[in-house]
Coordinates of all heavy atoms in Angstrom, one line a residue:
A1 N 13.0 -8.2 21.7 CA 11.6 -8.2 21.8 C 11.0 -6.8 21.5 O 9.9 -6.8 20.8 CB 11.1 -8.7 23.2
A2 N 11.6 -5.8 22.0 CA 11.1 -4.4 21.7 C 11.2 -4.1 20.2 O 10.2 -3.5 19.7 CB 11.8 -3.4 22.5
L3 N 12.2 -4.5 19.6 CA 12.4 -4.2 18.1 C 11.3 -5.0 17.3 O 10.7 -4.4 16.4 CB 13.8 -4.6 17.7 CG 14.1 -4.4 16.2 CD1 13.9 -2.9 15.8 CD2 15.5 -4.9 15.8
R4 N 11.1 -6.2 17.7 CA 10.0 -7.0 17.0 C 8.7 -6.4 17.2 O 7.9 -6.3 16.3 CB 10.1 -8.5 17.6 CG 9.1 -9.4 16.9 CD 9.6 -9.6 15.5 NE 8.5 -9.8 14.6 CZ 8.6 -10.2 13.3 NH1 9.8 -10.6 12.9 NH2 7.6 -10.3 12.5
E5 N 8.4 -5.9 18.4 CA 7.1 -5.3 18.7 C 6.9 -4.0 17.8 O 5.9 -3.7 17.3 CB 6.9 -5.0 20.1 CG 5.6 -4.3 20.4 CD 5.4 -3.9 21.9 OE1 6.3 -4.2 22.7 OE2 4.4 -3.2 22.2
A6 N 8.0 -3.2 17.8 CA 8.0 -2.0 16.9 C 7.7 -2.3 15.5 O 6.9 -1.7 14.8 CB 9.3 -1.2 17.1
F7 N 8.4 -3.3 15.0 CA 8.2 -3.8 13.6 C 6.8 -4.2 13.4 O 6.1 -3.8 12.4 CB 9.2 -4.9 13.2 CG 9.0 -5.4 11.8 CD1 9.6 -4.7 10.8 CD2 8.3 -6.5 11.5 CE1 9.5 -5.2 9.5 CE2 8.1 -6.9 10.2 CZ 8.7 -6.3 9.2
D8 N 6.3 -5.0 14.3 CA 4.9 -5.6 14.1 C 3.8 -4.5 14.2 O 2.8 -4.7 13.6 CB 4.7 -6.7 15.1 CG 5.5 -7.9 14.8 OD1 5.9 -8.1 13.7 OD2 5.6 -8.8 15.7
T9 N 4.1 -3.4 15.0 CA 3.0 -2.5 15.2 C 3.1 -1.1 14.5 O 2.2 -0.4 14.4 CB 2.9 -2.2 16.7 OG1 4.1 -1.7 17.2 CG2 2.5 -3.5 17.5
R10 N 4.3 -0.8 14.0 CA 4.5 0.5 13.4 C 5.1 0.5 12.0 O 5.1 1.5 11.3 CB 5.4 1.3 14.3 CG 4.8 1.6 15.6 CD 5.7 2.5 16.4 NE 7.0 1.9 16.7 CZ 8.0 2.5 17.4 NH1 7.9 3.7 17.8 NH2 9.1 1.8 17.6
W11 N 5.6 -0.6 11.5 CA 6.3 -0.7 10.3 C 5.4 -0.8 9.1 O 4.3 -1.4 9.1 CB 7.2 -1.9 10.2 CG 8.2 -1.9 9.2 CD1 8.1 -2.4 7.9 CD2 9.5 -1.3 9.2 NE1 9.3 -2.2 7.2 CE2 10.2 -1.6 8.0 CE3 10.2 -0.6 10.2 CZ2 11.4 -1.1 7.7 CZ3 11.5 -0.2 9.9 CH2 12.1 -0.4 8.6
V12 N 5.7 -0.1 8.0 CA 5.0 -0.2 6.7 C 6.1 -0.4 5.6 O 7.1 0.4 5.6 CB 4.2 1.0 6.4 CG1 3.5 0.9 5.1 CG2 3.1 1.2 7.5
H13 N 5.9 -1.3 4.7 CA 6.9 -1.5 3.6 C 6.5 -0.5 2.5 O 5.3 -0.3 2.2 CB 6.8 -2.9 3.1 CG 7.3 -3.9 4.0 ND1 8.7 -4.0 4.4 CD2 6.7 -4.8 4.8 CE1 8.8 -5.0 5.2 NE2 7.6 -5.5 5.5
G14 N 7.5 0.1 1.9 CA 7.2 1.1 0.8 C 8.1 0.8 -0.4 O 9.2 0.3 -0.2
L15 N 7.6 1.1 -1.6 CA 8.4 1.0 -2.8 C 8.0 2.1 -3.7 O 7.0 2.8 -3.6 CB 8.2 -0.4 -3.4 CG 6.8 -0.7 -3.8 CD1 6.5 -0.3 -5.3 CD2 6.5 -2.2 -3.7
N16 N 8.9 2.4 -4.7 CA 8.6 3.4 -5.7 C 8.4 2.7 -7.0 O 8.9 1.6 -7.3 CB 9.8 4.3 -5.9 CG 10.1 5.2 -4.7 OD1 9.2 5.3 -3.8 ND2 11.2 5.8 -4.6
S17 N 7.5 3.3 -7.8 CA 7.1 2.7 -9.1 C 7.0 3.9 -10.1 O 6.0 4.5 -10.3 CB 5.8 2.0 -9.0 OG 5.3 1.7 -10.2
R18 N 8.1 4.1 -10.8 CA 8.1 5.2 -11.7 C 7.6 4.9 -13.1 O 6.9 5.7 -13.7 CB 9.6 5.7 -11.8 CG 9.7 6.9 -12.7 CD 11.1 7.5 -12.7 NE 11.2 8.5 -13.7 CZ 12.3 9.0 -14.1 NH1 13.5 8.5 -13.7 NH2 12.3 9.9 -15.0
W19 N 7.9 3.7 -13.6 CA 7.5 3.4 -15.0 C 6.4 2.3 -15.1 O 5.9 2.1 -16.2 CB 8.8 2.9 -15.7 CG 9.8 3.9 -15.8 CD1 10.9 4.0 -15.1 CD2 9.9 5.0 -16.8 NE1 11.7 5.1 -15.4 CE2 11.0 5.7 -16.5 CE3 9.1 5.4 -17.8 CZ2 11.4 6.9 -17.2 CZ3 9.4 6.6 -18.5 CH2 10.6 7.3 -18.2
S20 N 6.1 1.6 -14.1 CA 5.3 0.4 -14.2 C 3.8 0.8 -13.9 O 3.5 1.6 -13.0 CB 5.8 -0.7 -13.2 OG 7.1 -1.0 -13.5
T21 N 2.9 0.1 -14.6 CA 1.5 0.2 -14.3 C 1.2 -0.5 -13.0 O 1.9 -1.4 -12.5 CB 0.7 -0.4 -15.5 OG1 0.9 -1.8 -15.5 CG2 1.0 0.3 -16.8
W22 N 0.0 -0.2 -12.5 CA -0.5 -0.8 -11.2 C -0.6 -2.3 -11.4 O -0.3 -3.1 -10.5 CB -1.8 -0.2 -10.8 CG -2.5 -1.0 -9.8 CD1 -3.7 -1.6 -10.0 CD2 -2.1 -1.2 -8.4 NE1 -4.1 -2.3 -8.8 CE2 -3.1 -2.1 -7.9 CE3 -1.0 -0.9 -7.7 CZ2 -3.0 -2.5 -6.6 CZ3 -0.9 -1.4 -6.4 CH2 -1.9 -2.2 -5.8
N23 N -1.2 -2.8 -12.5 CA -1.4 -4.2 -12.7 C 0.0 -4.9 -12.6 O 0.0 -6.0 -11.9 CB -2.0 -4.5 -14.0 CG -3.5 -4.1 -14.1 OD1 -4.1 -4.0 -13.0 ND2 -4.0 -3.9 -15.3
F24 N 1.0 -4.4 -13.1 CA 2.3 -5.0 -13.1 C 2.9 -5.0 -11.6 O 3.3 -6.0 -11.1 CB 3.3 -4.3 -14.0 CG 4.7 -4.9 -13.9 CD1 5.0 -6.1 -14.5 CD2 5.7 -4.2 -13.2 CE1 6.3 -6.6 -14.4 CE2 7.0 -4.7 -13.1 CZ 7.3 -5.9 -13.7
V25 N 2.8 -3.9 -11.0 CA 3.4 -3.7 -9.6 C 2.6 -4.6 -8.7 O 3.2 -5.4 -7.9 CB 3.3 -2.3 -9.1 CG1 3.7 -2.2 -7.7 CG2 4.2 -1.4 -10.0
N26 N 1.3 -4.6 -8.7 CA 0.5 -5.4 -7.9 C 0.7 -6.9 -8.1 O 0.8 -7.7 -7.1 CB -1.0 -5.1 -8.1 CG -1.9 -5.7 -7.0 OD1 -1.5 -5.9 -5.8 ND2 -3.1 -6.1 -7.4
A27 N 0.9 -7.3 -9.3 CA 1.2 -8.8 -9.6 C 2.5 -9.2 -9.0 O 2.7 -10.2 -8.4 CB 1.1 -9.0 -11.1
M28 N 3.5 -8.3 -9.2 CA 4.9 -8.6 -8.7 C 4.9 -8.7 -7.2 O 5.5 -9.6 -6.6 CB 5.9 -7.6 -9.2 CG 6.1 -7.6 -10.7 SD 6.6 -9.2 -11.4 CE 8.2 -9.3 -10.8
V29 N 4.3 -7.7 -6.5 CA 4.3 -7.7 -5.1 C 3.4 -8.8 -4.5 O 3.9 -9.5 -3.6 CB 3.8 -6.3 -4.5 CG1 3.7 -6.4 -3.0 CG2 4.8 -5.2 -4.9
S30 N 2.3 -9.0 -5.1 CA 1.3 -10.0 -4.5 C 1.9 -11.4 -4.5 O 1.6 -12.2 -3.6 CB 0.0 -10.0 -5.3 OG -0.6 -8.7 -5.1
R31 N 2.6 -11.8 -5.5 CA 3.1 -13.2 -5.6 C 4.2 -13.5 -4.5 O 4.4 -14.7 -4.3 CB 3.6 -13.5 -7.0 CG 4.9 -12.8 -7.4 CD 5.3 -13.3 -8.8 NE 6.5 -12.7 -9.2 CZ 7.0 -12.7 -10.4 NH1 6.4 -13.3 -11.3 NH2 8.2 -12.2 -10.7
S32 N 4.8 -12.5 -3.9 CA 5.8 -12.7 -2.9 C 5.5 -12.2 -1.5 O 6.2 -12.4 -0.6 CB 7.1 -12.1 -3.4 OG 7.5 -12.6 -4.6
Y33 N 4.4 -11.4 -1.4 CA 4.2 -10.6 -0.2 C 3.7 -11.4 1.0 O 3.8 -10.9 2.1 CB 3.3 -9.4 -0.5 CG 3.5 -8.3 0.6 CD1 4.7 -7.5 0.5 CD2 2.7 -8.1 1.6 CE1 4.9 -6.5 1.4 CE2 2.9 -7.2 2.6 CZ 4.0 -6.4 2.5 OH 4.3 -5.4 3.4
K34 N 3.1 -12.5 0.8 CA 2.5 -13.3 1.9 C 3.5 -13.4 3.1 O 3.1 -13.3 4.3 CB 2.1 -14.7 1.4 CG 1.0 -15.3 2.2 CD -0.1 -15.5 1.3 CE -1.4 -16.0 1.8 NZ -2.3 -14.9 2.1
Q35 N 4.8 -13.6 2.8 CA 5.8 -13.8 3.9 C 5.9 -12.5 4.8 O 6.4 -12.6 5.9 CB 7.1 -14.1 3.3 CG 7.7 -13.0 2.4 CD 9.0 -13.4 1.7 OE1 9.9 -14.0 2.3 NE2 9.1 -13.1 0.4
F36 N 5.4 -11.3 4.3 CA 5.6 -10.1 5.1 C 4.3 -9.7 5.8 O 4.3 -8.8 6.6 CB 6.0 -9.0 4.2 CG 7.3 -9.2 3.6 CD1 7.4 -9.4 2.2 CD2 8.5 -9.3 4.3 CE1 8.6 -9.7 1.6 CE2 9.7 -9.5 3.7 CZ 9.8 -9.7 2.3
E37 N 3.2 -10.4 5.6 CA 1.9 -10.1 6.2 C 2.0 -10.3 7.7 O 2.7 -11.2 8.1 CB 0.8 -10.9 5.6 CG 0.5 -10.6 4.2 CD -0.6 -11.4 3.5 OE1 -0.9 -12.5 4.0 OE2 -1.1 -11.0 2.5
P38 N 1.3 -9.6 8.5 CA 0.3 -8.6 8.2 C 0.8 -7.1 8.0 O 0.0 -6.2 8.0 CB -0.6 -8.6 9.4 CG 0.3 -8.9 10.5 CD 1.4 -9.8 10.0
V39 N 2.1 -7.0 7.8 CA 2.7 -5.6 7.6 C 2.2 -5.1 6.3 O 2.4 -5.7 5.2 CB 4.2 -5.7 7.6 CG1 4.8 -4.3 7.4 CG2 4.7 -6.3 9.0
P40 N 1.6 -3.9 6.3 CA 1.0 -3.3 5.1 C 2.2 -2.8 4.2 O 3.3 -2.6 4.6 CB 0.1 -2.2 5.5 CG 0.6 -1.8 6.9 CD 1.2 -3.1 7.5
W41 N 1.8 -2.5 2.9 CA 2.8 -1.9 2.0 C 2.1 -0.8 1.2 O 0.9 -0.7 1.1 CB 3.3 -3.0 1.0 CG 2.4 -3.5 0.1 CD1 1.5 -4.5 0.3 CD2 2.3 -3.2 -1.3 NE1 0.8 -4.8 -0.9 CE2 1.3 -4.0 -1.9 CE3 2.9 -2.3 -2.2 CZ2 0.9 -4.0 -3.2 CZ3 2.5 -2.3 -3.5 CH2 1.5 -3.1 -4.0
F42 N 2.9 0.1 0.7 CA 2.4 1.3 -0.1 C 3.4 1.6 -1.2 O 4.5 1.2 -1.2 CB 2.1 2.5 0.8 CG 3.3 3.2 1.2 CD1 3.6 4.5 0.6 CD2 4.2 2.8 2.2 CE1 4.8 5.2 1.0 CE2 5.3 3.5 2.6 CZ 5.6 4.7 2.0
I43 N 2.9 2.4 -2.1 CA 3.7 2.9 -3.2 C 4.0 4.4 -2.8 O 3.1 5.2 -2.8 CB 3.1 2.8 -4.6 CG1 2.8 1.4 -4.9 CG2 4.0 3.5 -5.6 CD1 2.0 1.2 -6.2
G44 N 5.3 4.7 -2.6 CA 5.6 6.0 -2.1 C 5.9 7.0 -3.3 O 5.9 8.2 -3.1
Q45 N 6.1 6.5 -4.5 CA 6.3 7.3 -5.7 C 5.7 6.6 -6.9 O 6.3 5.7 -7.4 CB 7.8 7.6 -5.9 CG 8.1 8.4 -7.1 CD 9.6 8.6 -7.4 OE1 10.3 8.8 -6.4 NE2 10.0 8.4 -8.6
Y46 N 4.5 6.9 -7.2 CA 3.8 6.3 -8.4 C 3.9 7.3 -9.5 O 3.4 8.5 -9.4 CB 2.4 6.0 -8.0 CG 1.5 5.7 -9.2 CD1 1.5 4.5 -9.8 CD2 0.7 6.7 -9.8 CE1 0.8 4.2 -10.9 CE2 -0.1 6.4 -10.9 CZ 0.0 5.2 -11.5 OH -0.8 4.9 -12.6
G47 N 4.5 7.0 -10.6 CA 4.6 7.9 -11.8 C 3.9 7.5 -13.0 O 3.3 8.3 -13.7
D48 N 3.9 6.2 -13.4 CA 3.3 5.8 -14.6 C 3.7 6.6 -15.8 O 3.0 6.9 -16.7 CB 1.8 5.8 -14.5 CG 1.1 4.4 -14.7 OD1 1.9 3.5 -15.0 OD2 -0.1 4.3 -14.6
N49 N 5.0 6.9 -15.8 CA 5.6 7.7 -16.9 C 5.3 7.1 -18.3 O 5.5 5.9 -18.4 CB 7.1 7.9 -16.7 CG 7.4 8.8 -15.6 OD1 6.5 9.4 -15.0 ND2 8.7 9.0 -15.3
G50 N 4.9 7.8 -19.2 CA 4.6 7.3 -20.6 C 3.3 6.7 -20.8 O 2.9 6.3 -21.9
Q51 N 2.5 6.6 -19.7 CA 1.1 6.0 -19.9 C 0.1 7.1 -20.3 O 0.3 8.3 -20.0 CB 0.7 5.4 -18.5 CG 1.6 4.3 -18.1 CD 1.7 3.1 -19.1 OE1 0.7 2.8 -19.7 NE2 2.9 2.5 -19.2
T52 N -1.0 6.6 -20.9 CA -2.0 7.6 -21.3 C -2.8 8.0 -20.1 O -2.8 7.4 -19.0 CB -3.0 6.9 -22.3 OG1 -3.7 5.8 -21.6 CG2 -2.3 6.4 -23.5
K53 N -3.6 9.1 -20.2 CA -4.4 9.6 -19.2 C -5.4 8.5 -18.7 O -5.6 8.4 -17.5 CB -5.2 10.8 -19.8 CG -6.2 11.4 -18.8 CD -7.0 12.5 -19.5 CE -8.2 13.0 -18.7 NZ -8.9 14.1 -19.4
E54 N -5.9 7.8 -19.7 CA -6.9 6.7 -19.3 C -6.3 5.6 -18.4 O -6.9 5.2 -17.5 CB -7.5 6.1 -20.6 CG -8.4 7.1 -21.4 CD -7.6 8.1 -22.2 OE1 -6.5 7.9 -22.5 OE2 -8.2 9.2 -22.4
V55 N -5.1 5.2 -18.8 CA -4.4 4.2 -18.0 C -4.1 4.7 -16.6 O -4.3 4.0 -15.6 CB -3.0 3.8 -18.7 CG1 -2.2 2.9 -17.7 CG2 -3.3 3.0 -19.9
I56 N -3.7 6.0 -16.5 CA -3.4 6.6 -15.2 C -4.7 6.6 -14.3 O -4.7 6.3 -13.1 CB -2.7 7.9 -15.3 CG1 -1.3 7.7 -15.9 CG2 -2.6 8.6 -14.0 CD1 -0.6 9.0 -16.3
Q57 N -5.7 7.1 -14.9 CA -7.0 7.2 -14.2 C -7.5 5.8 -13.8 O -7.9 5.6 -12.6 CB -8.1 7.8 -15.1 CG -7.9 9.3 -15.3 CD -8.9 9.9 -16.3 OE1 -9.3 9.2 -17.3 NE2 -9.2 11.1 -16.1
Q58 N -7.4 4.8 -14.6 CA -7.7 3.4 -14.3 C -6.8 2.9 -13.1 O -7.3 2.3 -12.2 CB -7.7 2.5 -15.5 CG -8.7 2.7 -16.5 CD -8.4 2.0 -17.8 OE1 -7.5 1.3 -17.9 NE2 -9.3 2.2 -18.8
D59 N -5.6 3.1 -13.2 CA -4.6 2.7 -12.2 C -5.0 3.3 -10.8 O -5.0 2.6 -9.8 CB -3.2 3.1 -12.5 CG -2.5 2.0 -13.5 OD1 -3.2 1.1 -13.9 OD2 -1.4 2.2 -13.8
L60 N -5.2 4.6 -10.8 CA -5.5 5.3 -9.6 C -6.8 4.8 -9.0 O -6.9 4.6 -7.7 CB -5.6 6.8 -9.8 CG -4.3 7.5 -10.1 CD1 -4.5 9.0 -10.4 CD2 -3.3 7.4 -8.9
A61 N -7.8 4.6 -9.8 CA -9.1 4.0 -9.3 C -8.9 2.6 -8.7 O -9.4 2.3 -7.7 CB -10.2 4.0 -10.4
S62 N -8.1 1.8 -9.4 CA -7.9 0.4 -9.0 C -7.1 0.4 -7.7 O -7.4 -0.4 -6.8 CB -7.1 -0.4 -10.0 OG -7.9 -0.5 -11.2
M63 N -6.1 1.3 -7.6 CA -5.3 1.4 -6.3 C -6.2 1.8 -5.2 O -6.0 1.3 -4.0 CB -4.1 2.3 -6.5 CG -3.0 1.7 -7.4 SD -1.5 2.7 -7.5 CE -2.0 3.8 -8.7
D64 N -7.1 2.8 -5.4 CA -8.0 3.2 -4.4 C -8.9 2.1 -3.9 O -9.0 1.9 -2.7 CB -8.8 4.4 -4.9 CG -9.7 5.0 -3.8 OD1 -9.2 5.3 -2.7 OD2 -10.9 5.0 -4.0
R65 N -9.4 1.3 -4.8 CA -10.2 0.1 -4.4 C -9.4 -0.9 -3.6 O -9.8 -1.4 -2.6 CB -10.8 -0.6 -5.6 CG -12.0 0.1 -6.2 CD -12.7 -0.7 -7.3 NE -11.9 -1.1 -8.4 CZ -11.6 -0.3 -9.4 NH1 -12.2 0.9 -9.5 NH2 -10.8 -0.7 -10.4
E66 N -8.2 -1.1 -4.1 CA -7.3 -2.1 -3.4 C -7.0 -1.6 -2.0 O -6.9 -2.4 -1.0 CB -6.1 -2.3 -4.2 CG -5.2 -3.4 -3.7 CD -5.8 -4.8 -4.0 OE1 -6.7 -5.0 -4.8 OE2 -5.3 -5.8 -3.4
A67 N -6.7 -0.3 -1.8 CA -6.3 0.3 -0.5 C -7.5 0.2 0.5 O -7.3 0.2 1.7 CB -5.8 1.7 -0.7
N68 N -8.7 0.2 -0.1 CA -9.9 0.1 0.8 C -10.4 -1.3 1.0 O -11.4 -1.5 1.7 CB -11.0 0.9 0.2 CG -10.8 2.4 0.4 OD1 -10.7 2.9 1.5 ND2 -10.7 3.2 -0.7
S69 N -9.6 -2.3 0.5 CA -9.9 -3.7 0.8 C -9.1 -4.2 1.9 O -8.4 -3.4 2.6 CB -9.7 -4.5 -0.5 OG -8.3 -4.7 -0.7
E70 N -9.1 -5.4 2.2 CA -8.3 -6.0 3.3 C -7.1 -6.7 2.8 O -6.6 -7.6 3.3 CB -9.2 -7.1 4.0 CG -10.5 -6.5 4.6 CD -10.1 -5.6 5.8 OE1 -9.2 -5.9 6.6 OE2 -10.8 -4.6 5.9
S71 N -6.5 -6.2 1.7 CA -5.4 -6.8 1.0 C -4.0 -6.6 1.6 O -3.1 -7.3 1.3 CB -5.3 -6.4 -0.5 OG -4.9 -5.0 -0.5
G72 N -3.9 -5.6 2.4 CA -2.6 -5.2 3.0 C -1.9 -4.0 2.2 O -0.9 -3.5 2.7
F73 N -2.5 -3.6 1.1 CA -2.0 -2.5 0.4 C -2.6 -1.2 1.0 O -3.8 -1.1 1.2 CB -2.5 -2.5 -1.1 CG -2.1 -1.3 -1.9 CD1 -0.8 -1.1 -2.2 CD2 -3.1 -0.5 -2.5 CE1 -0.4 0.1 -2.9 CE2 -2.7 0.6 -3.2 CZ -1.4 0.9 -3.4
A74 N -1.7 -0.3 1.5 CA -2.1 0.8 2.3 C -2.4 2.1 1.5 O -3.1 3.0 1.9 CB -1.0 1.1 3.3
G75 N -1.9 2.1 0.2 CA -2.2 3.3 -0.6 C -1.0 3.7 -1.4 O 0.0 3.0 -1.6
V76 N -1.1 5.0 -1.9 CA -0.1 5.5 -2.9 C 0.0 7.0 -2.8 O -0.9 7.7 -2.4 CB -0.6 5.1 -4.4 CG1 -1.9 5.7 -4.7 CG2 0.4 5.4 -5.4
A77 N 1.2 7.4 -3.1 CA 1.5 8.9 -3.3 C 1.8 9.1 -4.8 O 2.7 8.5 -5.3 CB 2.7 9.3 -2.4
F78 N 1.0 10.0 -5.4 CA 1.2 10.2 -6.8 C 2.4 11.2 -7.0 O 2.6 12.1 -6.2 CB 0.0 10.9 -7.4 CG 0.0 10.9 -8.9 CD1 -0.5 9.8 -9.6 CD2 0.4 12.0 -9.6 CE1 -0.4 9.8 -11.0 CE2 0.4 12.0 -11.0 CZ 0.0 10.9 -11.7
F79 N 3.2 11.0 -8.0 CA 4.5 11.7 -8.2 C 4.4 12.5 -9.5 O 4.0 11.9 -10.5 CB 5.6 10.7 -8.2 CG 7.0 11.3 -8.5 CD1 7.6 12.1 -7.5 CD2 7.6 11.1 -9.7 CE1 8.8 12.6 -7.8 CE2 8.9 11.6 -9.9 CZ 9.5 12.4 -8.9
Q80 N 4.9 13.7 -9.5 CA 5.0 14.5 -10.7 C 3.7 14.8 -11.4 O 3.5 14.3 -12.5 CB 6.0 14.0 -11.7 CG 7.4 14.1 -11.2 CD 8.5 13.7 -12.2 OE1 8.2 12.8 -13.0 NE2 9.6 14.3 -12.2
F81 N 2.9 15.6 -10.9 CA 1.7 16.1 -11.6 C 2.2 17.0 -12.7 O 3.1 17.7 -12.6 CB 0.8 16.9 -10.6 CG 0.1 16.1 -9.6 CD1 0.7 15.9 -8.4 CD2 -1.1 15.5 -9.9 CE1 0.0 15.1 -7.4 CE2 -1.7 14.7 -8.9 CZ -1.2 14.5 -7.7
H82 N 1.4 16.9 -13.8 CA 1.7 17.8 -14.9 C 1.2 19.2 -14.6 O 0.1 19.3 -14.1 CB 1.1 17.3 -16.2 CG 1.7 16.1 -16.7 ND1 2.6 16.1 -17.8 CD2 1.7 14.8 -16.3 CE1 3.1 14.9 -18.0 NE2 2.5 14.1 -17.2
T83 N 1.9 20.2 -15.0 CA 1.5 21.6 -14.7 C 1.4 22.4 -16.0 O 2.0 22.0 -17.0 CB 2.4 22.3 -13.7 OG1 3.7 22.3 -14.3 CG2 2.4 21.7 -12.4

């Protein structure tokens, strides 16, 4: 019972997305995630390697909107800023 309570109240599912765009990741997760609700999920490593600046900007704006909705998506950590 204690383990179930900990899972239900403190757990967050995370995944990494190095090469895929937000639209692809969101579509893949959304079609199967209902079984894990209400546990939120996040992207711990978002890279969008090989994408244009415009695609990355659009992805980040879309992910921000989704994280601020009631969808269960908790947010994203951006990986490898260009210096």
Side-chain angles (χ1 to χ4, degrees):
L3 181 59
R4 182 72 213 190
E5 180 183 352
F7 179 82
D8 289 342
T9 59
R10 297 184 294 178
W11 195 267
V12 177
H13 293 288
L15 59 91
N16 292 346
S17 170
R18 182 174 174 197
W19 296 100
S20 302
T21 64
W22 165 246
N23 287 338
F24 176 79
V25 172
N26 191 33
M28 296 302 289
V29 172
S30 295
R31 71 180 181 189
S32 303
Y33 202 77
K34 205 121 189 91
Q35 64 186 315
F36 301 111
E37 291 176 345
V39 178
W41 68 281
F42 77 105
I43 299 174
Q45 179 182 317
Y46 166 82
D48 237 359
N49 289 355
Q51 300 300 324
T52 65
K53 175 183 171 182
E54 292 75 24
V55 168
I56 294 170
Q57 288 173 328
Q58 290 170 0
D59 278 1
L60 292 172
S62 295
M63 286 186 278
D64 185 54
R65 281 191 301 278
E66 189 74 14
N68 285 300
S69 74
E70 299 293 321
S71 69
F73 177 64
V76 61
F78 195 84
F79 178 71
Q80 287 186 327
F81 289 92
H82 289 260
T83 56

